[in-house]
Amino acid sequence: MLRQCFELLEYCNGEVMKSLFDVEQAEQFSTSLQMRAYTSRLLGQSDDLVLHGGGNTSVKDVTTDIFGEEVEVLYVKGSGHDLKTIQENGFSPTRLDVLKRLAALSDLSDTDMMRELKMSQLDPTAPAPSVETLLHAIIPFRYVDHTHADSLVAISNTPNGLQFIKEIYGERFLILDYEMPGFLLSKQVHHATKNLDWSNCEAIILLHHGIFTFDDDAQKSYEKMIAVVSKAEDFLKEKGAWDCPLGYDLAGKELQCDAWEIAKMRKYVCLQKGGPLVGRYSADNMASLSSLEIAERGPITPDHVLHTKRIAMICTGDHEKDIQKYAEAYRSYFERNRESDALTCLDTAPRWALWKGKGRFVFAPNGKRLRVISDIIDHTSKCIQWGEFLGGWRALP
């Protein structure tokens, strides 16, 4: 199957994933970490793979510590770094033996895990290791690549998502249910791979989350990712979902909203937030749908909630009432799911909204965050439409 995947690379057109690996350019990199940074940036070039700090990569190597002893080290993407621009100093060097011991524990809080990860670093000035560091340590290959590919995650966010994923990839892929990134996810993978024959495993697919590919060669690990994602994109094309998922034509249906209405909505959102927010309005083809409740079914992946909040606000024209309704639902959601009094509810103002026949509204504390949220919502809209075409958008509860 993997051979078939690589054959796709030779014939794919501009609409699907392509390998960007340049052999001549790669020859200038003399260390495994330089090569790791290079192929990480290649992944980061595609917003369909990773968005604004999403995804992570790693490489395993051997170094010499201050005592002159050889140490196995895992260089893993540091928190706060973006694969699109990452350099060697964006990776955190951690002791591999310590990581493997942590991964084998039966229980560990994420707070304790992050403390132990920080203590395992060879360089205390390096960025904090990714929350998925233990998972990278478990996979016994030199290079590991992880993305949140839109096409694959969108397919899994449907009623028949698991069936579709199995149909696309077959038995040589380890397919796992969603688990919260952190120790719980690493524990899940640790148990699932205890007796795994890695020579028969092409990749790990985490439903509603993303993909892990791996190899002892940087180029192969990267191109496996491209090949795996190409299979998902081809599936969407074969099903007729790729180009115009919902089959509606926006010709002559220009969505419009005057500046006064935009200003009024932003006013009430700012009041709910308890501080100033900038706003952006744009036409969105989702706003022409007969039912906008699909935008209340959840995000592409929970990783996006930090930026977009859980769901969109659906507008009726009564901005004050709409925002109060959204805030009440948000507080109720928080109270239902809080597991400790130590948790504090964040502000209850929406970060994006849809108004039927009008368009889409995005709100953020500053221009940078506004671009981040807008980009994520662009991809969310696309994935929701794919999901609807495949039987109904069904994100995690």
Side-chain angles (χ1 to χ4, degrees), residues 51-188:
L51 274 174
H52 298 291
N56 39 71
T57 59
S58 68
V59 61
K60 300 175 181 72
D61 207 343
V62 176
T63 190
T64 303
D65 66 13
I66 195 170
F67 302 106
E69 298 177 352
E70 285 193 342
V71 178
E72 284 188 294
V73 59
L74 175 78
Y75 293 93
V76 64
K77 193 197 90 163
S79 296
H81 285 264
D82 195 321
L83 291 181
K84 184 176 290 186
T85 57
I86 196 167
Q87 301 292 333
E88 293 96 297
N89 62 3
F91 291 86
S92 175
T94 51
R95 292 179 179 269
L96 187 57
D97 60 336
V98 174
L99 301 180
K100 289 180 177 178
R101 291 174 62 189
L102 290 172
L105 292 175
S106 59
D107 189 41
L108 185 66
S109 72
D110 282 343
T111 301
D112 288 341
M113 180 193 72
M114 294 308 297
R115 184 190 66 241
E116 294 298 324
L117 291 182
K118 191 67 177 175
M119 292 175 65
S120 75
Q121 289 180 282
L122 293 171
D123 180 1
T125 66
S130 165
V131 70
E132 293 172 325
T133 295
L134 297 186
L135 213 164
H136 285 262
I138 292 168
I139 299 174
F141 290 88
R142 194 175 190 189
Y143 291 90
V144 178
D145 297 75
H146 171 47
T147 74
H148 306 149
D150 284 350
S151 54
L152 187 143
V153 180
I155 292 169
S156 74
N157 284 346
T158 61
N160 297 316
L162 176 59
Q163 177 184 331
F164 288 150
I165 296 296
K166 288 182 176 179
E167 177 185 335
I168 295 167
Y169 296 108
E171 298 180 357
R172 290 177 61 84
F173 287 71
L174 178 61
I175 302 170
L176 300 175
D177 289 332
Y178 179 85
E179 190 57 83
M180 192 75 171
F183 183 74
L184 291 178
L185 176 57
S186 65
K187 182 178 179 180
Q188 177 194 38

Side-chain angles (χ1 to χ4, degrees), residues 185-229:
L185 176 57
S186 65
K187 182 178 179 180
Q188 177 194 38
V189 175
H190 177 73
H191 285 298
T193 59
K194 268 187 175 180
N195 301 311
L196 179 67
D197 180 358
W198 285 96
S199 65
N200 288 321
C201 182
E202 307 288 7
I204 298 175
I205 293 176
L206 307 174
L207 299 177
H208 311 282
H209 183 155
I211 317 160
F212 280 86
T213 58
F214 32 81
D215 200 279
D216 289 329
D217 179 85
Q219 180 181 359
K220 289 181 179 178
S221 183
Y222 161 72
E223 290 189 340
K224 283 179 181 179
M225 179 64 70
I226 303 303
V228 170
V229 176

Side-chain angles (χ1 to χ4, degrees), residues 160-353:
N160 297 316
L162 176 59
Q163 177 184 331
F164 288 150
I165 296 296
K166 288 182 176 179
E167 177 185 335
I168 295 167
Y169 296 108
E171 298 180 357
R172 290 177 61 84
F173 287 71
L174 178 61
I175 302 170
L176 300 175
D177 289 332
Y178 179 85
E179 190 57 83
M180 192 75 171
F183 183 74
L184 291 178
L185 176 57
S186 65
K187 182 178 179 180
Q188 177 194 38
V189 175
H190 177 73
H191 285 298
T193 59
K194 268 187 175 180
N195 301 311
L196 179 67
D197 180 358
W198 285 96
S199 65
N200 288 321
C201 182
E202 307 288 7
I204 298 175
I205 293 176
L206 307 174
L207 299 177
H208 311 282
H209 183 155
I211 317 160
F212 280 86
T213 58
F214 32 81
D215 200 279
D216 289 329
D217 179 85
Q219 180 181 359
K220 289 181 179 178
S221 183
Y222 161 72
E223 290 189 340
K224 283 179 181 179
M225 179 64 70
I226 303 303
V228 170
V229 176
S230 294
K231 294 281 285 184
E233 292 180 336
D234 279 354
F235 176 84
L236 291 171
K237 288 186 173 184
E238 292 167 4
K239 296 295 184 180
W242 181 261
D243 293 319
C244 191
L246 295 180
Y248 52 71
D249 183 5
L250 291 179
K253 297 181 181 179
E254 295 184 6
L255 306 179
Q256 295 182 0
C257 187
D258 63 53
W260 176 245
E261 287 293 342
I262 298 171
K264 283 200 300 183
M265 184 185 296
R266 188 173 72 88
K267 169 189 172 182
Y268 287 112
V269 173
C270 290
L271 289 173
Q272 189 64 47
K273 168 69 168 59
L277 293 168
V278 293
R280 172 180 290 171
Y281 164 78
S282 61
D284 190 298
N285 51 16
M286 283 185 64
S288 68
L289 300 181
S290 58
S291 175
L292 298 182
E293 62 84 22
I294 55 174
E296 297 181 294
R297 297 182 197 165
I300 302 175
T301 176
D303 293 68
H304 292 168
V305 171
L306 291 172
H307 300 289
T308 65
K309 299 220 165 170
R310 176 173 75 97
I311 59 174
M313 178 179 74
I314 306 304
C315 303
T316 65
D318 188 336
H319 305 316
E320 186 174 15
K321 183 177 179 181
D322 292 338
I323 291 166
Q324 288 177 351
K325 179 181 177 182
Y326 182 92
E328 290 170 3
Y330 190 94
R331 280 190 289 267
S332 176
Y333 157 77
F334 176 82
E335 293 299 331
R336 286 197 310 272
N337 293 283
R338 72 186 305 176
E339 298 176 351
S340 166
D341 289 338
L343 295 178
T344 302
C345 186
L346 302 180
D347 77 85
T348 56
R351 292 299 183 266
W352 70 294

